[in-house]
Amino acid sequence: MLGHTLRSTWRVLMRRKFFTVVSLFGVALTLVVLVVAAALFDHSFGPHPPEVHADRSLGIFGARLSGEGWTTTGGAGGRLLETCARALPGAEITSFYSAQDQEVTYRGGERVSLWVKRTDGAFWRALRFRFLEGGPFTDADDAAANAVAVVNDATRMRLFGDGPGVGKTLRLDGRTFTIVGVVEDVPFLRNVPFSDVWLPARTARSDAESRKLVGDMKALIVARSREDLPGIREEYRRRLAAVDLATVDAPAGARFDRLESEAETFLEKAASDLFGRNPHRAPLLVAFLSVLAVAFMALPALNLVNLALSRILERSSEIGVRKAFGATRGRLVLQFVAENLVLSLAGGAVGLVLAAGVLAAVNRSGLIPYAQLGVNARVFLYGLLASCVFGVLSGALPALRMSRLHPVEALRGGPR
Amino acid sequence: MIRLENVEKVYRTDRIETIALSNVSLDVAEGEFVSIMGPSGSGKSTLLHVMGLLDAPTKGSVTLNGRKVGSYSDAALAKVRNAELGFVFQTFHLVPDLSVLDNVEVPLLYRGTGAKERRKRAEAALERVGLSARTRHFPSQLSGGQQQRVAIARAIVGAPRILLADEPTGNLDSAMGDEILALIEDLNTRERCTVVMVTHDERQAAKTHRTVRLFDGRPVS
């Protein structure tokens, strides 16, 4: 049956080459946009190095302190993290790091602006960076506030050209740091690991952060297993509720009575912007993006419906014959949808090749710093899925309509 | 084998009501070769479509091999057509995108026959109609007579007990028409296949066991 359908499909598509090319072009173009979107999504949320434990990781990305007439929102403060996020049961690695800040250094009188992140030794265990030279700084370096730094490869190139980076120095924030490691560039879209330079947290000039509930810090918690994630969230919530807000410095006349913060997955964090604190925000985001993708496919699919309809209309006599010889409506629908699916998969293949080209161009353009967009197995599967949805979307309607044709009417040449 | 009782077929549009068949009762026995004749528009093809379960009568009943099919669903009718009926059309109705062999295999696709068995039976049917050398050709590469032979091979590949032919020689010259008729006669005599054939040709009708004549949708004697 499959061989018969494929042979028939091949002949049908080859008979009207212009229609086929137009259809392929429509599918391929739509797929290019979808695959690029999927690649961006995968680039941001997929389990790529250095976030190899993304599926069992939680982040504490912010906090909100509120009371009568006052609300303070920002990252998590050092005090909040030390009190509530340290050594949570079920956590294998817990790392605290600052939001990256732009800081300036000078190279031969030239101003060089760099993204700087401050963190601890655990950061390098929670994330698996690829070291090109040297190695990470340690918890001991952090505890002693040693002036050491890890830089990415792009920064090494900018500051030192083709030579090695380890052992060289870098002046930032009024201090001179010795480079102990050089890592492969991490794309800008991967917010947790991204930076140009990583410094020990305690090298910061001020320790004010350690007294804050709302500040500029974030936490990355790698659980022992996915099953530990709910327990970690629950314990964090419990500890949060136990924080004594009476001891918090509040502006004159104000009193804070509510502290909100959450341990969430990377996808939940992205979904928070759209769906707030809704407990189902991650699946909601995936559903929203899926609906968006289907809606985006609907318009070109409608065009393809028309093309498919005219292609099938030409074959009304074939429908009549097949019905006369025992084809049921279901079998005919399957046949025509399968034909469209073949067309969509062929368009999808062209689309994937074109998308790979577009992604390579985006990588080269520097539009997204250090972007490493590409068509990997996951993106390929997204593309395949989109092609199938597209094929079914554009094939089902004409197939359903034509399968309803009365056999005698079909033998006479179709609906009049 | 086929029994029609008081069959009426009316086509209605918003303004016009056309009576295609009126009070037709007919029995076709197993192994019979019946021709249907009549002027254009007399309801010959409609009668054949009703007998072939391609069209339902407005009134009356159709019995096929002892089963009244009036209440059958579309899917059940498709199954009966596939198992018990074979069709030959005036304009051949071969699928242009399929090879001769694939065309002949079509009825077997819908009864779940495996690919090897389908091929074997399709080749045998093509041999039966003298076209085994043309299996890889496409319909457009064949003459009218050859196309009708392929259509007959397709009609008999599933070994149906009834063959319904709607002017099978109408698009062929007389020599080719005679060849096709000889083939159908042979199927009737050697394989006891019941045949109902619509024709305009008195000469051909004379070769059948009996002729049913229609005028304005009614049988006339």
mmCIF file with all atom_site columns, all heavy atoms in Angstrom, chain A residues 7 11 15 317 321-323 325 331 406, chain B residues 54-55 81-82 87 93 97 102 109-110 154:
data_model
loop_
_atom_site.group_PDB
_atom_site.id
_atom_site.type_symbol
_atom_site.label_atom_id
_atom_site.label_alt_id
_atom_site.label_comp_id
_atom_site.label_asym_id
_atom_site.label_entity_id
_atom_site.label_seq_id
_atom_site.pdbx_PDB_ins_code
_atom_site.Cartn_x
_atom_site.Cartn_y
_atom_site.Cartn_z
_atom_site.occupancy
_atom_site.B_iso_or_equiv
_atom_site.pdbx_formal_charge
_atom_site.auth_seq_id
_atom_site.auth_comp_id
_atom_site.auth_asym_id
_atom_site.auth_atom_id
_atom_site.pdbx_PDB_model_num
ATOM 1   N N   . ARG A 1 7   ? 4.517   5.649  -5.181  1.00 0.00 ? 7   ARG A N   1
ATOM 2   C CA  . ARG A 1 7   ? 4.682   5.697  -6.648  1.00 0.00 ? 7   ARG A CA  1
ATOM 3   C C   . ARG A 1 7   ? 3.672   6.671  -7.249  1.00 0.00 ? 7   ARG A C   1
ATOM 4   O O   . ARG A 1 7   ? 4.008   7.493  -8.089  1.00 0.00 ? 7   ARG A O   1
ATOM 5   C CB  . ARG A 1 7   ? 4.486   4.299  -7.249  1.00 0.00 ? 7   ARG A CB  1
ATOM 6   C CG  . ARG A 1 7   ? 5.684   3.374  -7.062  1.00 0.00 ? 7   ARG A CG  1
ATOM 7   C CD  . ARG A 1 7   ? 5.600   2.184  -8.007  1.00 0.00 ? 7   ARG A CD  1
ATOM 8   N NE  . ARG A 1 7   ? 4.469   1.317  -7.741  1.00 0.00 ? 7   ARG A NE  1
ATOM 9   C CZ  . ARG A 1 7   ? 4.451   0.378  -6.794  1.00 0.00 ? 7   ARG A CZ  1
ATOM 10  N NH1 . ARG A 1 7   ? 5.512   0.195  -6.032  1.00 0.00 ? 7   ARG A NH1 1
ATOM 11  N NH2 . ARG A 1 7   ? 3.393   -0.376 -6.613  1.00 0.00 ? 7   ARG A NH2 1
ATOM 12  N N   . ARG A 1 11  ? 4.400   10.364 -9.249  1.00 0.00 ? 11  ARG A N   1
ATOM 13  C CA  . ARG A 1 11  ? 3.898   10.677 -10.586 1.00 0.00 ? 11  ARG A CA  1
ATOM 14  C C   . ARG A 1 11  ? 3.023   11.926 -10.565 1.00 0.00 ? 11  ARG A C   1
ATOM 15  O O   . ARG A 1 11  ? 3.124   12.781 -11.435 1.00 0.00 ? 11  ARG A O   1
ATOM 16  C CB  . ARG A 1 11  ? 3.100   9.501  -11.147 1.00 0.00 ? 11  ARG A CB  1
ATOM 17  C CG  . ARG A 1 11  ? 3.916   8.274  -11.463 1.00 0.00 ? 11  ARG A CG  1
ATOM 18  C CD  . ARG A 1 11  ? 4.592   8.367  -12.813 1.00 0.00 ? 11  ARG A CD  1
ATOM 19  N NE  . ARG A 1 11  ? 3.643   8.572  -13.896 1.00 0.00 ? 11  ARG A NE  1
ATOM 20  C CZ  . ARG A 1 11  ? 3.982   8.717  -15.163 1.00 0.00 ? 11  ARG A CZ  1
ATOM 21  N NH1 . ARG A 1 11  ? 5.247   8.667  -15.512 1.00 0.00 ? 11  ARG A NH1 1
ATOM 22  N NH2 . ARG A 1 11  ? 3.061   8.905  -16.086 1.00 0.00 ? 11  ARG A NH2 1
ATOM 23  N N   . ARG A 1 15  ? 3.836   15.380 -12.516 1.00 0.00 ? 15  ARG A N   1
ATOM 24  C CA  . ARG A 1 15  ? 2.960   15.759 -13.635 1.00 0.00 ? 15  ARG A CA  1
ATOM 25  C C   . ARG A 1 15  ? 2.769   17.273 -13.690 1.00 0.00 ? 15  ARG A C   1
ATOM 26  O O   . ARG A 1 15  ? 2.736   17.867 -14.753 1.00 0.00 ? 15  ARG A O   1
ATOM 27  C CB  . ARG A 1 15  ? 1.606   15.062 -13.462 1.00 0.00 ? 15  ARG A CB  1
ATOM 28  C CG  . ARG A 1 15  ? 0.654   15.261 -14.600 1.00 0.00 ? 15  ARG A CG  1
ATOM 29  C CD  . ARG A 1 15  ? -0.291  14.087 -14.726 1.00 0.00 ? 15  ARG A CD  1
ATOM 30  N NE  . ARG A 1 15  ? -0.928  13.734 -13.479 1.00 0.00 ? 15  ARG A NE  1
ATOM 31  C CZ  . ARG A 1 15  ? -2.126  14.164 -13.090 1.00 0.00 ? 15  ARG A CZ  1
ATOM 32  N NH1 . ARG A 1 15  ? -2.802  14.990 -13.857 1.00 0.00 ? 15  ARG A NH1 1
ATOM 33  N NH2 . ARG A 1 15  ? -2.646  13.781 -11.964 1.00 0.00 ? 15  ARG A NH2 1
ATOM 34  N N   . SER A 1 317 ? -12.016 11.507 -11.405 1.00 0.00 ? 317 SER A N   1
ATOM 35  C CA  . SER A 1 317 ? -12.323 10.220 -12.025 1.00 0.00 ? 317 SER A CA  1
ATOM 36  C C   . SER A 1 317 ? -11.598 9.092  -11.287 1.00 0.00 ? 317 SER A C   1
ATOM 37  O O   . SER A 1 317 ? -12.129 8.009  -11.077 1.00 0.00 ? 317 SER A O   1
ATOM 38  C CB  . SER A 1 317 ? -11.958 10.278 -13.510 1.00 0.00 ? 317 SER A CB  1
ATOM 39  O OG  . SER A 1 317 ? -11.178 9.201  -13.889 1.00 0.00 ? 317 SER A OG  1
ATOM 40  N N   . VAL A 1 321 ? -13.210 5.833  -9.575  1.00 0.00 ? 321 VAL A N   1
ATOM 41  C CA  . VAL A 1 321 ? -12.756 4.464  -9.840  1.00 0.00 ? 321 VAL A CA  1
ATOM 42  C C   . VAL A 1 321 ? -12.387 3.770  -8.537  1.00 0.00 ? 321 VAL A C   1
ATOM 43  O O   . VAL A 1 321 ? -12.788 2.633  -8.273  1.00 0.00 ? 321 VAL A O   1
ATOM 44  C CB  . VAL A 1 321 ? -11.528 4.487  -10.786 1.00 0.00 ? 321 VAL A CB  1
ATOM 45  C CG1 . VAL A 1 321 ? -10.855 3.133  -10.816 1.00 0.00 ? 321 VAL A CG1 1
ATOM 46  C CG2 . VAL A 1 321 ? -11.955 4.890  -12.164 1.00 0.00 ? 321 VAL A CG2 1
ATOM 47  N N   . ARG A 1 322 ? -11.637 4.459  -7.710  1.00 0.00 ? 322 ARG A N   1
ATOM 48  C CA  . ARG A 1 322 ? -11.210 3.841  -6.457  1.00 0.00 ? 322 ARG A CA  1
ATOM 49  C C   . ARG A 1 322 ? -12.434 3.495  -5.602  1.00 0.00 ? 322 ARG A C   1
ATOM 50  O O   . ARG A 1 322 ? -12.473 2.445  -4.961  1.00 0.00 ? 322 ARG A O   1
ATOM 51  C CB  . ARG A 1 322 ? -10.244 4.762  -5.709  1.00 0.00 ? 322 ARG A CB  1
ATOM 52  C CG  . ARG A 1 322 ? -8.864  4.843  -6.377  1.00 0.00 ? 322 ARG A CG  1
ATOM 53  C CD  . ARG A 1 322 ? -7.893  5.664  -5.542  1.00 0.00 ? 322 ARG A CD  1
ATOM 54  N NE  . ARG A 1 322 ? -6.611  5.839  -6.193  1.00 0.00 ? 322 ARG A NE  1
ATOM 55  C CZ  . ARG A 1 322 ? -5.581  4.990  -6.103  1.00 0.00 ? 322 ARG A CZ  1
ATOM 56  N NH1 . ARG A 1 322 ? -5.724  3.884  -5.388  1.00 0.00 ? 322 ARG A NH1 1
ATOM 57  N NH2 . ARG A 1 322 ? -4.442  5.231  -6.710  1.00 0.00 ? 322 ARG A NH2 1
ATOM 58  N N   . LYS A 1 323 ? -13.423 4.401  -5.595  1.00 0.00 ? 323 LYS A N   1
ATOM 59  C CA  . LYS A 1 323 ? -14.640 4.104  -4.826  1.00 0.00 ? 323 LYS A CA  1
ATOM 60  C C   . LYS A 1 323 ? -15.352 2.898  -5.421  1.00 0.00 ? 323 LYS A C   1
ATOM 61  O O   . LYS A 1 323 ? -15.825 2.022  -4.699  1.00 0.00 ? 323 LYS A O   1
ATOM 62  C CB  . LYS A 1 323 ? -15.565 5.314  -4.804  1.00 0.00 ? 323 LYS A CB  1
ATOM 63  C CG  . LYS A 1 323 ? -15.093 6.391  -3.853  1.00 0.00 ? 323 LYS A CG  1
ATOM 64  C CD  . LYS A 1 323 ? -16.203 7.350  -3.511  1.00 0.00 ? 323 LYS A CD  1
ATOM 65  C CE  . LYS A 1 323 ? -15.854 8.094  -2.226  1.00 0.00 ? 323 LYS A CE  1
ATOM 66  N NZ  . LYS A 1 323 ? -16.914 8.917  -1.732  1.00 0.00 ? 323 LYS A NZ  1
ATOM 67  N N   . PHE A 1 325 ? -14.156 0.447  -6.895  1.00 0.00 ? 325 PHE A N   1
ATOM 68  C CA  . PHE A 1 325 ? -13.449 -0.800 -6.605  1.00 0.00 ? 325 PHE A CA  1
ATOM 69  C C   . PHE A 1 325 ? -13.224 -1.029 -5.110  1.00 0.00 ? 325 PHE A C   1
ATOM 70  O O   . PHE A 1 325 ? -12.407 -1.854 -4.732  1.00 0.00 ? 325 PHE A O   1
ATOM 71  C CB  . PHE A 1 325 ? -12.137 -0.859 -7.378  1.00 0.00 ? 325 PHE A CB  1
ATOM 72  C CG  . PHE A 1 325 ? -12.359 -1.176 -8.836  1.00 0.00 ? 325 PHE A CG  1
ATOM 73  C CD1 . PHE A 1 325 ? -12.286 -0.187 -9.791  1.00 0.00 ? 325 PHE A CD1 1
ATOM 74  C CD2 . PHE A 1 325 ? -12.697 -2.465 -9.223  1.00 0.00 ? 325 PHE A CD2 1
ATOM 75  C CE1 . PHE A 1 325 ? -12.524 -0.476 -11.129 1.00 0.00 ? 325 PHE A CE1 1
ATOM 76  C CE2 . PHE A 1 325 ? -12.934 -2.759 -10.557 1.00 0.00 ? 325 PHE A CE2 1
ATOM 77  C CZ  . PHE A 1 325 ? -12.857 -1.766 -11.511 1.00 0.00 ? 325 PHE A CZ  1
ATOM 78  N N   . ARG A 1 331 ? -9.965  5.471  3.557   1.00 0.00 ? 331 ARG A N   1
ATOM 79  C CA  . ARG A 1 331 ? -8.785  5.085  2.781   1.00 0.00 ? 331 ARG A CA  1
ATOM 80  C C   . ARG A 1 331 ? -8.375  6.201  1.818   1.00 0.00 ? 331 ARG A C   1
ATOM 81  O O   . ARG A 1 331 ? -7.190  6.464  1.622   1.00 0.00 ? 331 ARG A O   1
ATOM 82  C CB  . ARG A 1 331 ? -9.061  3.803  1.979   1.00 0.00 ? 331 ARG A CB  1
ATOM 83  C CG  . ARG A 1 331 ? -9.165  2.565  2.823   1.00 0.00 ? 331 ARG A CG  1
ATOM 84  C CD  . ARG A 1 331 ? -7.865  2.256  3.539   1.00 0.00 ? 331 ARG A CD  1
ATOM 85  N NE  . ARG A 1 331 ? -6.866  1.634  2.696   1.00 0.00 ? 331 ARG A NE  1
ATOM 86  C CZ  . ARG A 1 331 ? -6.656  0.330  2.619   1.00 0.00 ? 331 ARG A CZ  1
ATOM 87  N NH1 . ARG A 1 331 ? -7.395  -0.494 3.349   1.00 0.00 ? 331 ARG A NH1 1
ATOM 88  N NH2 . ARG A 1 331 ? -5.728  -0.170 1.853   1.00 0.00 ? 331 ARG A NH2 1
ATOM 89  N N   . HIS A 1 406 ? -19.675 11.847 -4.451  1.00 0.00 ? 406 HIS A N   1
ATOM 90  C CA  . HIS A 1 406 ? -20.477 10.687 -4.820  1.00 0.00 ? 406 HIS A CA  1
ATOM 91  C C   . HIS A 1 406 ? -19.737 9.948  -5.941  1.00 0.00 ? 406 HIS A C   1
ATOM 92  O O   . HIS A 1 406 ? -19.228 10.576 -6.873  1.00 0.00 ? 406 HIS A O   1
ATOM 93  C CB  . HIS A 1 406 ? -21.839 11.176 -5.311  1.00 0.00 ? 406 HIS A CB  1
ATOM 94  C CG  . HIS A 1 406 ? -22.833 10.088 -5.436  1.00 0.00 ? 406 HIS A CG  1
ATOM 95  N ND1 . HIS A 1 406 ? -22.845 9.244  -6.509  1.00 0.00 ? 406 HIS A ND1 1
ATOM 96  C CD2 . HIS A 1 406 ? -23.813 9.677  -4.621  1.00 0.00 ? 406 HIS A CD2 1
ATOM 97  C CE1 . HIS A 1 406 ? -23.811 8.359  -6.349  1.00 0.00 ? 406 HIS A CE1 1
ATOM 98  N NE2 . HIS A 1 406 ? -24.417 8.606  -5.192  1.00 0.00 ? 406 HIS A NE2 1
ATOM 99  N N   . LEU B 2 54  ? -23.295 1.847  -6.881  1.00 0.00 ? 54  LEU B N   1
ATOM 100 C CA  . LEU B 2 54  ? -22.624 3.145  -6.940  1.00 0.00 ? 54  LEU B CA  1
ATOM 101 C C   . LEU B 2 54  ? -23.624 4.258  -6.683  1.00 0.00 ? 54  LEU B C   1
ATOM 102 O O   . LEU B 2 54  ? -23.258 5.383  -6.344  1.00 0.00 ? 54  LEU B O   1
ATOM 103 C CB  . LEU B 2 54  ? -21.983 3.358  -8.321  1.00 0.00 ? 54  LEU B CB  1
ATOM 104 C CG  . LEU B 2 54  ? -20.824 2.431  -8.671  1.00 0.00 ? 54  LEU B CG  1
ATOM 105 C CD1 . LEU B 2 54  ? -20.389 2.620  -10.121 1.00 0.00 ? 54  LEU B CD1 1
ATOM 106 C CD2 . LEU B 2 54  ? -19.645 2.678  -7.743  1.00 0.00 ? 54  LEU B CD2 1
ATOM 107 N N   . ASP B 2 55  ? -24.902 3.941  -6.867  1.00 0.00 ? 55  ASP B N   1
ATOM 108 C CA  . ASP B 2 55  ? -25.968 4.908  -6.656  1.00 0.00 ? 55  ASP B CA  1
ATOM 109 C C   . ASP B 2 55  ? -27.113 4.189  -5.954  1.00 0.00 ? 55  ASP B C   1
ATOM 110 O O   . ASP B 2 55  ? -27.346 2.992  -6.225  1.00 0.00 ? 55  ASP B O   1
ATOM 111 C CB  . ASP B 2 55  ? -26.432 5.459  -8.013  1.00 0.00 ? 55  ASP B CB  1
ATOM 112 C CG  . ASP B 2 55  ? -26.844 6.912  -7.911  1.00 0.00 ? 55  ASP B CG  1
ATOM 113 O OD1 . ASP B 2 55  ? -26.991 7.396  -6.772  1.00 0.00 ? 55  ASP B OD1 1
ATOM 114 O OD2 . ASP B 2 55  ? -27.011 7.556  -8.965  1.00 0.00 ? 55  ASP B OD2 1
ATOM 115 N N   . ARG B 2 81  ? -18.829 -4.033 -3.070  1.00 0.00 ? 81  ARG B N   1
ATOM 116 C CA  . ARG B 2 81  ? -18.355 -3.714 -4.432  1.00 0.00 ? 81  ARG B CA  1
ATOM 117 C C   . ARG B 2 81  ? -16.995 -4.346 -4.662  1.00 0.00 ? 81  ARG B C   1
ATOM 118 O O   . ARG B 2 81  ? -16.721 -4.922 -5.709  1.00 0.00 ? 81  ARG B O   1
ATOM 119 C CB  . ARG B 2 81  ? -18.227 -2.187 -4.609  1.00 0.00 ? 81  ARG B CB  1
ATOM 120 C CG  . ARG B 2 81  ? -19.530 -1.475 -4.833  1.00 0.00 ? 81  ARG B CG  1
ATOM 121 C CD  . ARG B 2 81  ? -19.304 -0.089 -5.439  1.00 0.00 ? 81  ARG B CD  1
ATOM 122 N NE  . ARG B 2 81  ? -18.561 0.800  -4.563  1.00 0.00 ? 81  ARG B NE  1
ATOM 123 C CZ  . ARG B 2 81  ? -19.109 1.633  -3.697  1.00 0.00 ? 81  ARG B CZ  1
ATOM 124 N NH1 . ARG B 2 81  ? -20.436 1.702  -3.586  1.00 0.00 ? 81  ARG B NH1 1
ATOM 125 N NH2 . ARG B 2 81  ? -18.374 2.405  -2.934  1.00 0.00 ? 81  ARG B NH2 1
ATOM 126 N N   . ASN B 2 82  ? -16.131 -4.230 -3.639  1.00 0.00 ? 82  ASN B N   1
ATOM 127 C CA  . ASN B 2 82  ? -14.776 -4.747 -3.783  1.00 0.00 ? 82  ASN B CA  1
ATOM 128 C C   . ASN B 2 82  ? -14.761 -6.266 -3.956  1.00 0.00 ? 82  ASN B C   1
ATOM 129 O O   . ASN B 2 82  ? -14.005 -6.799 -4.761  1.00 0.00 ? 82  ASN B O   1
ATOM 130 C CB  . ASN B 2 82  ? -13.960 -4.357 -2.543  1.00 0.00 ? 82  ASN B CB  1
ATOM 131 C CG  . ASN B 2 82  ? -12.538 -4.865 -2.612  1.00 0.00 ? 82  ASN B CG  1
ATOM 132 O OD1 . ASN B 2 82  ? -12.212 -5.889 -2.044  1.00 0.00 ? 82  ASN B OD1 1
ATOM 133 N ND2 . ASN B 2 82  ? -11.709 -4.159 -3.352  1.00 0.00 ? 82  ASN B ND2 1
ATOM 134 N N   . PHE B 2 87  ? -16.064 -3.499 -12.515 1.00 0.00 ? 87  PHE B N   1
ATOM 135 C CA  . PHE B 2 87  ? -16.624 -2.479 -13.410 1.00 0.00 ? 87  PHE B CA  1
ATOM 136 C C   . PHE B 2 87  ? -15.720 -2.248 -14.624 1.00 0.00 ? 87  PHE B C   1
ATOM 137 O O   . PHE B 2 87  ? -14.496 -2.212 -14.496 1.00 0.00 ? 87  PHE B O   1
ATOM 138 C CB  . PHE B 2 87  ? -16.764 -1.134 -12.678 1.00 0.00 ? 87  PHE B CB  1
ATOM 139 C CG  . PHE B 2 87  ? -17.723 -1.176 -11.521 1.00 0.00 ? 87  PHE B CG  1
ATOM 140 C CD1 . PHE B 2 87  ? -17.283 -1.529 -10.260 1.00 0.00 ? 87  PHE B CD1 1
ATOM 141 C CD2 . PHE B 2 87  ? -19.066 -0.866 -11.699 1.00 0.00 ? 87  PHE B CD2 1
ATOM 142 C CE1 . PHE B 2 87  ? -18.156 -1.564 -9.189  1.00 0.00 ? 87  PHE B CE1 1
ATOM 143 C CE2 . PHE B 2 87  ? -19.947 -0.903 -10.635 1.00 0.00 ? 87  PHE B CE2 1
ATOM 144 C CZ  . PHE B 2 87  ? -19.499 -1.258 -9.366  1.00 0.00 ? 87  PHE B CZ  1
ATOM 145 N N   . HIS B 2 93  ? -11.348 4.907  -17.602 1.00 0.00 ? 93  HIS B N   1
ATOM 146 C CA  . HIS B 2 93  ? -11.068 5.388  -16.244 1.00 0.00 ? 93  HIS B CA  1
ATOM 147 C C   . HIS B 2 93  ? -9.871  4.707  -15.616 1.00 0.00 ? 93  HIS B C   1
ATOM 148 O O   . HIS B 2 93  ? -9.916  4.283  -14.454 1.00 0.00 ? 93  HIS B O   1
ATOM 149 C CB  . HIS B 2 93  ? -12.298 5.200  -15.339 1.00 0.00 ? 93  HIS B CB  1
ATOM 150 C CG  . HIS B 2 93  ? -13.366 6.219  -15.581 1.00 0.00 ? 93  HIS B CG  1
ATOM 151 N ND1 . HIS B 2 93  ? -13.124 7.562  -15.689 1.00 0.00 ? 93  HIS B ND1 1
ATOM 152 C CD2 . HIS B 2 93  ? -14.709 6.079  -15.731 1.00 0.00 ? 93  HIS B CD2 1
ATOM 153 C CE1 . HIS B 2 93  ? -14.244 8.208  -15.898 1.00 0.00 ? 93  HIS B CE1 1
ATOM 154 N NE2 . HIS B 2 93  ? -15.229 7.332  -15.939 1.00 0.00 ? 93  HIS B NE2 1
ATOM 155 N N   . ASP B 2 97  ? -1.637  8.243  -13.476 1.00 0.00 ? 97  ASP B N   1
ATOM 156 C CA  . ASP B 2 97  ? -0.349  8.299  -12.781 1.00 0.00 ? 97  ASP B CA  1
ATOM 157 C C   . ASP B 2 97  ? 0.166   6.934  -12.345 1.00 0.00 ? 97  ASP B C   1
ATOM 158 O O   . ASP B 2 97  ? 1.233   6.849  -11.747 1.00 0.00 ? 97  ASP B O   1
ATOM 159 C CB  . ASP B 2 97  ? -0.480  9.201  -11.541 1.00 0.00 ? 97  ASP B CB  1
ATOM 160 C CG  . ASP B 2 97  ? -0.877  10.603 -11.927 1.00 0.00 ? 97  ASP B CG  1
ATOM 161 O OD1 . ASP B 2 97  ? -0.247  11.141 -12.847 1.00 0.00 ? 97  ASP B OD1 1
ATOM 162 O OD2 . ASP B 2 97  ? -1.825  11.136 -11.338 1.00 0.00 ? 97  ASP B OD2 1
ATOM 163 N N   . ASP B 2 102 ? 0.094   -1.342 -11.625 1.00 0.00 ? 102 ASP B N   1
ATOM 164 C CA  . ASP B 2 102 ? -0.470  -0.677 -10.445 1.00 0.00 ? 102 ASP B CA  1
ATOM 165 C C   . ASP B 2 102 ? -1.966  -0.428 -10.616 1.00 0.00 ? 102 ASP B C   1
ATOM 166 O O   . ASP B 2 102 ? -2.738  -0.521 -9.654  1.00 0.00 ? 102 ASP B O   1
ATOM 167 C CB  . ASP B 2 102 ? 0.245   0.654  -10.177 1.00 0.00 ? 102 ASP B CB  1
ATOM 168 C CG  . ASP B 2 102 ? 1.593   0.446  -9.488  1.00 0.00 ? 102 ASP B CG  1
ATOM 169 O OD1 . ASP B 2 102 ? 1.769   -0.615 -8.875  1.00 0.00 ? 102 ASP B OD1 1
ATOM 170 O OD2 . ASP B 2 102 ? 2.453   1.342  -9.578  1.00 0.00 ? 102 ASP B OD2 1
ATOM 171 N N   . LEU B 2 109 ? -5.851  -3.620 -3.384  1.00 0.00 ? 109 LEU B N   1
ATOM 172 C CA  . LEU B 2 109 ? -5.357  -2.748 -2.311  1.00 0.00 ? 109 LEU B CA  1
ATOM 173 C C   . LEU B 2 109 ? -6.389  -2.638 -1.206  1.00 0.00 ? 109 LEU B C   1
ATOM 174 O O   . LEU B 2 109 ? -6.055  -2.545 -0.033  1.00 0.00 ? 109 LEU B O   1
ATOM 175 C CB  . LEU B 2 109 ? -5.121  -1.332 -2.848  1.00 0.00 ? 109 LEU B CB  1
ATOM 176 C CG  . LEU B 2 109 ? -3.923  -1.052 -3.715  1.00 0.00 ? 109 LEU B CG  1
ATOM 177 C CD1 . LEU B 2 109 ? -4.010  0.382  -4.220  1.00 0.00 ? 109 LEU B CD1 1
ATOM 178 C CD2 . LEU B 2 109 ? -2.651  -1.227 -2.906  1.00 0.00 ? 109 LEU B CD2 1
ATOM 179 N N   . TYR B 2 110 ? -7.657  -2.628 -1.617  1.00 0.00 ? 110 TYR B N   1
ATOM 180 C CA  . TYR B 2 110 ? -8.725  -2.360 -0.652  1.00 0.00 ? 110 TYR B CA  1
ATOM 181 C C   . TYR B 2 110 ? -9.251  -3.620 0.019   1.00 0.00 ? 110 TYR B C   1
ATOM 182 O O   . TYR B 2 110 ? -10.254 -3.581 0.706   1.00 0.00 ? 110 TYR B O   1
ATOM 183 C CB  . TYR B 2 110 ? -9.849  -1.564 -1.340  1.00 0.00 ? 110 TYR B CB  1
ATOM 184 C CG  . TYR B 2 110 ? -9.308  -0.286 -1.930  1.00 0.00 ? 110 TYR B CG  1
ATOM 185 C CD1 . TYR B 2 110 ? -9.404  -0.008 -3.281  1.00 0.00 ? 110 TYR B CD1 1
ATOM 186 C CD2 . TYR B 2 110 ? -8.649  0.628  -1.116  1.00 0.00 ? 110 TYR B CD2 1
ATOM 187 C CE1 . TYR B 2 110 ? -8.858  1.151  -3.818  1.00 0.00 ? 110 TYR B CE1 1
ATOM 188 C CE2 . TYR B 2 110 ? -8.106  1.779  -1.645  1.00 0.00 ? 110 TYR B CE2 1
ATOM 189 C CZ  . TYR B 2 110 ? -8.211  2.039  -2.996  1.00 0.00 ? 110 TYR B CZ  1
ATOM 190 O OH  . TYR B 2 110 ? -7.665  3.182  -3.502  1.00 0.00 ? 110 TYR B OH  1
ATOM 191 N N   . ARG B 2 154 ? -8.331  -5.132 -14.589 1.00 0.00 ? 154 ARG B N   1
ATOM 192 C CA  . ARG B 2 154 ? -8.587  -4.550 -13.277 1.00 0.00 ? 154 ARG B CA  1
ATOM 193 C C   . ARG B 2 154 ? -9.916  -5.042 -12.728 1.00 0.00 ? 154 ARG B C   1
ATOM 194 O O   . ARG B 2 154 ? -10.049 -5.314 -11.527 1.00 0.00 ? 154 ARG B O   1
ATOM 195 C CB  . ARG B 2 154 ? -8.596  -3.015 -13.385 1.00 0.00 ? 154 ARG B CB  1
ATOM 196 C CG  . ARG B 2 154 ? -8.900  -2.298 -12.091 1.00 0.00 ? 154 ARG B CG  1
ATOM 197 C CD  . ARG B 2 154 ? -8.891  -0.797 -12.268 1.00 0.00 ? 154 ARG B CD  1
ATOM 198 N NE  . ARG B 2 154 ? -9.927  -0.357 -13.208 1.00 0.00 ? 154 ARG B NE  1
ATOM 199 C CZ  . ARG B 2 154 ? -10.055 0.892  -13.658 1.00 0.00 ? 154 ARG B CZ  1
ATOM 200 N NH1 . ARG B 2 154 ? -9.194  1.809  -13.275 1.00 0.00 ? 154 ARG B NH1 1
ATOM 201 N NH2 . ARG B 2 154 ? -11.019 1.205  -14.497 1.00 0.00 ? 154 ARG B NH2 1
#
